[in-house]
């Protein structure tokens, strides 16, 4: 069945269909967490999108940018995604994926596995490094 250009679809469904997220519920959660914007405005999962809309997806450390070619609600094979979404992500953003970050945590020899408290401190350090609050205010 051929779709016309005035067709709209929910943003969470489209993000799942073009394989930006593994599940639709992950796409919906990203919308609720203000990690998805449509034409510069934060989008709720039920937001309808149409051809020509610009979608920004914050997936640390990169902000992906897509133009909707055709709104589609059915999951597509990876080879067909280019028919429904044009990737407009700047090369500087894509280069962030190739940067290798080495973070070394020094532990004394013989102290064994990290304790629950140590693990929380490590996780907090990693979250501060990878999930900067200023980043969320940009879009």
């Amino acid at each position: 069945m051929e779709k016309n250009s005035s067709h709209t679809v929910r943003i969470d469904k489209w993000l799942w269909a073009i394989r930006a997220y593994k599940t639709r519920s992950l796409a919906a959660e990203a919308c609720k967490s203000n990690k998805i914007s449509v034409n510069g405005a934060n989008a709720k999962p039920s937001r309808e999108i149409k051809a020509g809309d610009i979608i920004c997806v914050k997936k640390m450390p990169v902000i992906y940018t897509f133009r909707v070619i055709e709104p589609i609600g059915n999951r597509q094979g990876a080879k067909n995604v280019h028919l429904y979404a044009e990737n407009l992500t700047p090369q500087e953003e894509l280069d962030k994926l190739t940067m290798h970050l080495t973070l070394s945590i020094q532990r004394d020899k013989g102290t064994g596995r990290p304790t629950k408290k140590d693990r929380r401190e490590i996780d907090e350090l990693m979250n501060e490094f990878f999930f900067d609050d200023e980043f969320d205010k940009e879009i």
Side-chain angles (χ1 to χ4, degrees):
M1 183 154 76
E2 189 66 29
K3 306 282 185 192
N4 62 25
S5 61
S6 65
H7 178 71
T8 62
V9 72
R10 288 173 55 113
I11 182 74
D12 61 340
K13 203 170 191 180
W14 186 79
L15 289 168
W16 167 75
I18 66 152
R19 300 179 166 266
Y21 288 94
K22 198 171 197 174
T23 65
R24 187 169 165 193
S25 60
L26 287 175
E29 186 58 40
C31 291
K32 291 175 188 172
S33 301
N34 294 327
K35 293 182 178 161
I36 308 298
S37 67
V38 178
N39 298 326
N42 287 336
K44 293 181 180 179
S46 61
R47 168 78 185 259
E48 296 282 327
I49 60 164
K50 61 187 182 320
D53 284 346
I54 303 295
I55 313 293
C56 291
V57 178
K58 294 181 201 175
K59 287 176 88 174
M60 293 310 242
V62 178
I63 300 175
Y64 295 95
T65 307
F66 300 102
R67 176 180 291 123
V68 178
I69 296 174
E70 182 180 340
I72 188 84
N74 299 328
R75 184 99 162 153
Q76 298 299 308
K79 291 181 180 179
N80 295 333
V81 168
H82 72 280
L83 301 172
Y84 305 100
E86 179 183 358
N87 190 348
L88 303 175
T89 308
Q91 187 60 43
E92 304 84 60
E93 288 292 321
L94 296 174
D95 289 343
K96 292 177 184 178
L97 293 172
T98 59
M99 286 193 293
H100 296 288
L101 174 68
T102 304
L103 183 61
S104 175
I105 304 213
Q106 186 67 30
R107 291 189 47 85
D108 295 330
K109 189 171 181 163
T111 58
R113 292 175 41 173
T115 64
K116 201 171 195 179
K117 181 180 177 187
D118 293 339
R119 184 79 235 156
R120 286 188 194 119
E121 289 174 354
I122 291 168
D123 288 344
E124 186 177 322
L125 175 66
M126 296 302 280
N127 283 338
E128 286 177 14
F129 187 78
F130 286 109
F131 300 106
D132 187 11
D133 288 337
E134 292 299 315
F135 180 79
D136 290 333
K137 296 175 186 172
E138 289 179 9
I139 287 186

